[in-house]
Amino acid sequence: MARKVFILNGPNLNALGMREPGVYGSKTLQDIERDCRTYAETLELGIDFRQTNHEGVLVDWLHEANESAVGAAINPAAYGHTSIALHDAIRAISIPVVELHLSNIHAREPFRHKTMTAPVAVGVICGFGPTSYTLALQALANHIKDQ
Ligand code: DQA
C-alpha cells in the first residue's frame, strides 16, 4: 500500500472558488484535491485530504496523522496566525509537517506576516496559488526520502 500523507485545510478554505478570487484564485478546494491526488500518484504517495473550520479538529487530525501517515501538509488558513494549539500540536508529533498558503502572506496585511506554525514546520510554501499545494507535496516527499 502507498505511504500516506495528510493534507489538512483550515477555516474558510471550503469557500475557495467564490471567496476573494482576486486573492485566492477561481479553483475550488475540490479542484485542488484532484490536482493533489494526481500529483501524489507520481510521488507514489496516498493522500488523505480534509478541511475543517474548527481549530480543535485540526489538532485532532494532526495527532491522527502522527499515527497513520508519514507526513502532513497543512494550510492552517487564519489559525496559522493565531493558534498556539496548532503550534503545540505540530511540536508534539514526530512526522514532518509542511505549512502552505495560497497567497503570499508576506505581501499582505501585517497581521498575516507571521504564523505560529512556521517555527515548528519543516518549511513554508506560500504565494503560488493552488500550485503551493503540489509544491508542498513535493517538498514533503523529498524531506521524507531524505530522513
Ligand atoms: C491563507 C492565508 C491566510 O492569511 C488566510 O487567513 C487564509 C488563507 C492562504 O492560503 O493564502 O484563510 O492561508
Side-chain angles (χ1 to χ4, degrees):
M1 212 172 68
R3 291 171 313 159
K4 191 167 68 177
V5 296
F6 277 30
I7 303 178
L8 302 178
N9 293 280
N12 301 305
L13 294 170
N14 54 316
L16 285 180
M18 59 167 205
R19 173 190 182 204
E20 299 183 78
V23 177
Y24 298 116
S26 56
K27 280 197 173 181
T28 65
L29 196 61
Q30 288 70 29
D31 295 331
I32 291 172
E33 176 174 359
R34 203 173 317 117
D35 291 347
C36 286
R37 271 188 202 292
T38 305
Y39 187 63
E41 273 176 32
T42 71
L43 300 170
E44 297 178 349
L45 288 173
I47 61 169
D48 198 326
F49 193 100
R50 305 180 183 184
Q51 189 275 331
T52 178
N53 291 324
H54 304 279
E55 184 178 8
V57 174
L58 286 172
V59 172
D60 288 341
W61 286 348
L62 284 165
H63 288 289
E64 188 186 332
N66 197 41
E67 299 301 317
S68 59
V70 292
I74 183 167
N75 183 348
Y79 289 137
H81 306 301
T82 61
S83 177
I84 297 171
L86 278 184
H87 172 106
D88 285 349
I90 294 170
R91 242 196 148 109
I93 63 178
S94 54
I95 56 167
V97 177
V98 172
E99 175 176 343
L100 75 102
H101 300 273
L102 292 149
S103 62
N104 180 354
I105 55 175
H106 304 288
R108 300 183 64 194
E109 305 96 316
F111 66 84
R112 296 186 201 275
H113 294 181
K114 273 187 78 171
T115 68
M116 305 296 285
T117 35
V120 284
V122 172
V124 181
I125 291 168
C126 73
F128 298 97
T131 306
S132 291
Y133 281 79
T134 45
L135 288 171
L137 262 179
Q138 183 185 20
L140 185 60
N142 285 349
H143 181 83
I144 290 163
K145 214 179 285 165
D146 291 346
Q147 258 182 342

